[in-house]
Amino acid sequence: MPPLVVARGIVKRYGAFTAVDGISFHVEEGECFGILGPNGAGKTTTVRLMAALSPLTAGQLLVDGLDVSRHGRQVRARLGLVPQHDNLDPELTVWQNLRVFSRYYDIPRAVAEERAAELLEFFHLQDRSRQRVETLSAGMRRRLIIARALINAPRLLVLDEPTTGLDPQARHVLWQRLRQLKAQGVTMVLTTHYMEEAEQLCDRLVILNEGRVVVEGSPQALVERYAGREVVEVHLGLDGDGEQVLARLAGVGDLSWERAGDVLFLYVRGEDGLDPALLRGVGERVVFRRPNLEDVFLRLTGRGLTE
């Protein structure tokens, strides 16, 4: 089965600024594919290109075999798009938001009502169907936006930072629903700032930085490749001597490091980890922990703020 999405050297420029700089990737049917990156990396621009909401400057982008540059309307008809920002109609009820949206796709009334009922039940919103949107919590509104994106039974669900601003409980509820959708065979493209979200949901992902793909792979493979088996944080204090710590570790193999402010990060690849005795009495405190995708993200994109 061919990939559902194929991007070949896609470029998007706004005047002299290049937002997406020749990236390539593919999305297999039935998988959740992640697009990660710091602010300004090109995540939302890539989503807009994929949804045929913004014209390509160069390259080729196919969605379900359709070229977005020539078949934009057909591509949009096959997508479900969950935007970053809430664009529900607050003056309509939950049910009315779904029904109005279904008309954009010329879905027969009976079919639309059946789908709306199923989606409201799936997202635990059936008891709120007659309430106006403005009365819902932030988590409920996000679930409704995803339900709305599924009303046309899309071939591809595109989620642009779907859980931004939600509390941990609401975020985990939404993750459960997205995992259920994936188990049902829904193909998803997800952009997110939450590394745990990407680890929970994504089969594969790319990390973008300054409009380019830095790395691609599964979360587990990337963690093993760039962060190893163990991460040790040595909190040195403001006047700590990182060179003294590294001198103690001179004979340790399969070890890499980086310093960020007053913290020295040690990435250990050896199966036995790092002997705690080597760091006894060092710094203000030493933390041994499992590596995660955030370690990979920060190593590849930097620890400084980006705007």
Side-chain angles (χ1 to χ4, degrees), residues 94 120-121 123-131 136:
V94 168
L120 291 179
E121 182 176 1
F123 285 102
H124 290 184
L125 292 169
Q126 65 271 33
D127 294 338
R128 308 279 181 164
S129 64
R130 303 304 173 187
Q131 291 186 16
L136 302 182

Side-chain angles (χ1 to χ4, degrees), residues 13-276:
R13 297 190 186 97
Y14 297 96
F17 174 68
T18 301
V20 174
D21 193 5
I23 69 174
S24 299
F25 61 88
H26 69 279
V27 180
E28 298 290 348
E29 191 156 358
E31 75 173 341
C32 180
F33 184 83
I35 302 176
L36 281 61
N39 290 333
K43 302 186 300 298
T44 295
T45 301
T46 301
V47 164
R48 288 182 57 80
L49 294 173
M50 195 181 307
L53 296 175
S54 181
L56 281 167
T57 303
Q60 185 181 48
L61 182 53
L62 305 177
V63 176
D64 199 15
L66 298 172
D67 191 321
V68 299
S69 296
R70 293 183 293 160
H71 305 288
R73 180 174 294 181
Q74 294 95 316
V75 167
R76 287 190 293 273
R78 301 182 186 206
L79 288 182
L81 180 61
V82 178
Q84 279 188 42
H85 305 293
D86 182 347
N87 60 355
L88 295 166
D89 191 326
E91 296 183 357
L92 298 181
T93 67
V94 168
W95 180 265
Q96 288 169 338
N97 266 271
L98 295 182
R99 281 288 294 117
V100 168
F101 203 71
S102 71
R103 294 175 188 170
Y104 299 145
Y105 296 94
D106 293 326
I107 301 172
R109 182 186 182 91
V111 174
E113 292 189 351
E114 181 180 359
R115 287 182 186 172
E118 291 173 353
L119 288 167
L120 291 179
E121 182 176 1
F122 180 78
F123 285 102
H124 290 184
L125 292 169
Q126 65 271 33
D127 294 338
R128 308 279 181 164
S129 64
R130 303 304 173 187
Q131 291 186 16
R132 288 168 59 154
V133 164
E134 61 187 9
T135 69
L136 302 182
S137 69
M140 291 176 182
R141 291 166 75 104
R142 293 308 288 174
R143 299 204 308 268
L144 179 57
I145 290 172
I146 298 175
R148 186 187 63 181
L150 292 166
I151 195 71
N152 61 321
R155 292 275 288 145
L156 177 67
L157 180 63
V158 180
L159 304 117
D160 192 10
E161 299 183 21
T163 62
T164 296
L166 298 187
D167 61 44
Q169 290 87 351
R171 189 178 304 136
H172 279 267
V173 167
L174 199 50
W175 289 352
Q176 291 171 6
R177 295 295 171 267
L178 293 176
R179 281 195 294 267
Q180 286 180 265
L181 289 173
K182 182 174 173 292
Q184 294 172 8
V186 176
T187 306
M188 293 183 280
V189 171
L190 170 74
T191 79
T192 181
H193 280 130
Y194 296 111
M195 299 300 108
E196 184 185 1
E197 184 163 281
E199 287 184 298
Q200 288 270 344
L201 299 175
C202 295
D203 299 292
R204 292 185 306 114
L205 58 88
V206 292
I207 295 178
L208 302 183
N209 197 30
E210 297 181 347
R212 299 176 181 175
V213 172
V214 178
V215 72
E216 178 178 352
S218 70
Q220 181 179 356
L222 294 177
V223 169
E224 291 177 358
R225 179 178 176 185
Y226 290 98
R229 295 177 177 272
E230 181 179 55
V231 176
V232 182
E233 299 179 11
V234 182
H235 294 254
L236 300 167
L238 295 178
D239 300 320
D241 186 355
E243 295 300 324
Q244 184 180 17
V245 176
L246 294 174
R248 286 195 185 194
L249 303 173
V252 179
D254 291 330
L255 177 72
S256 58
W257 62 275
E258 66 176 342
R259 182 166 180 171
D262 64 341
V263 181
L264 185 66
F265 292 88
L266 307 174
Y267 303 99
V268 186
R269 299 189 180 281
E271 293 186 7
D272 296 330
L274 190 64
D275 183 357

